[in-house]
Amino acid sequence: MVLLDGIASRRIDTSRLAVNVLERAGDPPGGTPVVFIHGNLSSSLFWQEAMLALPAGYRVLAPDLRGFGDTDPLPVDATRGLRDFSDDLAATLEALGLDAAHLVGWSMGGGVAMQYALDHPVLSLTLQAPVSPYGFGGTGGPEGRRLSEDDAGCGAGGVNPDFVARLAAGDRSEEAATSPLAVYRAAYVHAGFRSVHEEIWLESMLSSRTGPDHYPGDSAATDAWPGFAAGGRGIANAMAPGYFNTSGLVELARKPDILWIRGDSDAIVSDASAFDINYLGQLGAVPGWPGEQTAPAQPMLAQTRAVLDKYRANGGRSREVVLANCGHSPHLEYPEQFLAALTEHIGGV
């Protein structure tokens, strides 16, 4: 594990599992807690620059989710949605003696943060390029209607097996489009972006556990196009709409302020996502697409916006910040703009 100067790591025993947590050196134990939650195929290492950049006075933390980094690789029960992760986070904050925190969730981590907020009090939510409140794939329209009872086209069956094999083998090359480094450059950040810490981000990706209990999970057969549906194990299935839905945020009695920050060139979370099987079918990249009526592309951004519109209509406060020429990782690509939006949102120490 490569840590930047000013970041420390320790494993914490909780009531559920041992969790690896990054902390910023010198933060006051009683400082207002800010907890960064990483996404799929990453770890807490991705947050180090953002952690160091926050003003003094906060207590800044970033845990590794189960199956990533140095946290225990317990299996992921996909039928619980992202609750395995959010329950682990609750146990971690309890072990640290923290009642509530500002949560900053990226991609899948945004889904973890939303699920946590449904179950526990939070000071605020920052959702960076978050998974739709209706999950990943298998829904249509801004209202997030579920397209099939078995979530056809969702989950582990849509993951490229060569990418998984390269991930498991610790491939550090860029010899193929399915090499983890090539995927990072093509999907995590905008075209041409380079970081001096790219090797750390690659190490973070390669810490992901693979297999049916982790990434991508298992897969189920279906008679519907494209021939696979969400299984019951592993990470890719945990975001299938039959298991994951956080649109209930709009009904919370106490609504934390929400910042939604994203890039306008995100290849992963988009209304035209390169990782949505239905959108790929529409493009002809997956043969046999049955058409718009049966398998429309998921309007991920429209779904998040519709939920946040209703959130405001029900008395909550939210704000959307869109960064130009930015991919899936605003905190890496435009750290100054990300920091400015975050610090304004969490409102001082």
Side-chain angles (χ1 to χ4, degrees):
M1 179 188 299
V2 180
L3 300 179
L4 301 182
D5 289 343
I7 298 292
S9 172
R10 63 178 170 128
R11 274 169 60 87
I12 297 170
D13 289 326
T14 78
S15 58
R16 292 174 57 82
L17 76 174
V19 175
N20 185 68
V21 178
L22 298 190
E23 301 173 285
R24 186 172 65 174
D27 281 350
T32 302
V34 181
V35 178
F36 291 89
I37 309 166
H38 67 81
N40 193 11
L41 298 174
S42 62
S43 74
S44 60
L45 294 179
F46 266 97
W47 285 120
Q48 293 183 83
E49 292 176 308
M51 294 172 69
L52 291 170
L54 272 183
Y58 291 105
R59 185 178 181 187
V60 186
L61 308 160
D64 288 333
L65 300 177
R66 65 168 63 193
F68 299 98
D70 287 340
T71 286
D72 284 351
L74 270 62
V76 175
D77 180 354
T79 67
R80 303 190 70 235
L82 296 177
R83 291 181 183 87
D84 277 353
F85 298 120
S86 62
D87 288 351
D88 292 347
L89 178 60
T92 302
L93 296 189
E94 180 181 25
L96 290 167
L98 301 176
D99 294 327
H102 296 288
L103 299 187
V104 184
W106 174 32
S107 194
M108 182 187 78
V112 175
M114 288 188 279
Q115 182 61 57
Y116 185 97
L118 284 172
D119 301 328
H120 306 279
V122 299
L123 300 179
S124 73
L125 288 177
T126 297
L127 307 176
Q128 177 184 252
V131 61
S132 162
Y134 298 105
F136 198 95
T139 59
E143 73 280 11
R145 70 183 185 280
R146 196 170 166 212
L147 300 177
S148 67
E149 287 299 316
D150 60 0
D151 291 335
C154 295
V159 175
N160 188 305
D162 189 61
F163 170 69
V164 178
R166 291 175 180 275
L167 193 69
D171 179 10
R172 291 180 173 271
S173 75
E174 50 182 319
E175 65 182 17
T178 50
S179 298
L181 179 58
V183 170
Y184 160 79
R185 289 176 175 170
Y188 284 46
V189 295
H190 66 268
F193 175 81
R194 292 292 185 269
S195 166
V196 296
H197 301 304
E198 194 171 70
E199 280 296 315
I200 301 178
W201 313 152
L202 179 59
E203 177 186 345
S204 178
M205 293 178 70
L206 294 176
S207 76
S208 308
R209 307 316 198 276
T210 59
D213 285 319
H214 298 289
Y215 181 81
D218 63 352
S219 185
T222 178
D223 292 333
W225 182 88
F228 67 85
R233 300 158 63 192
I235 291 161
N237 298 311
M239 290 177 279
Y243 304 140
F244 174 80
N245 186 323
T246 56
S247 62
L249 286 170
V250 302
E251 305 298 339
L252 284 177
R254 298 184 63 180
K255 295 180 174 65
D257 289 355
I258 298 177
L259 169 64
W260 175 23
I261 183 167
R262 63 179 184 87
D264 69 352
S265 303
D266 192 336
I268 299 175
V269 175
S270 166
D271 288 354
S273 170
F275 294 82
D276 176 8
I277 290 293
N278 289 358
Y279 180 66
L280 294 176
Q282 178 182 320
L283 295 180
V286 180
W289 182 60
E292 185 74 22
Q293 284 295 111
T294 302
Q298 182 187 7
M300 302 177 187
L301 303 180
Q303 290 175 352
T304 297
R305 190 171 295 112
V307 167
L308 294 182
D309 285 347
K310 189 172 182 181
Y311 192 81
R312 290 192 301 275
N314 286 2
R317 297 193 297 183
S318 72
R319 181 167 69 108
E320 178 181 358
V321 174
V322 183
L323 302 182
N325 190 37
C326 180
H328 191 57
S329 313
H331 71 294
L332 300 182
E333 300 167 74
Y334 296 98
E336 293 182 0
Q337 292 93 321
F338 173 80
L339 179 66
L342 176 59
T343 53
E344 178 184 356
H345 177 61
I346 61 181
V349 297

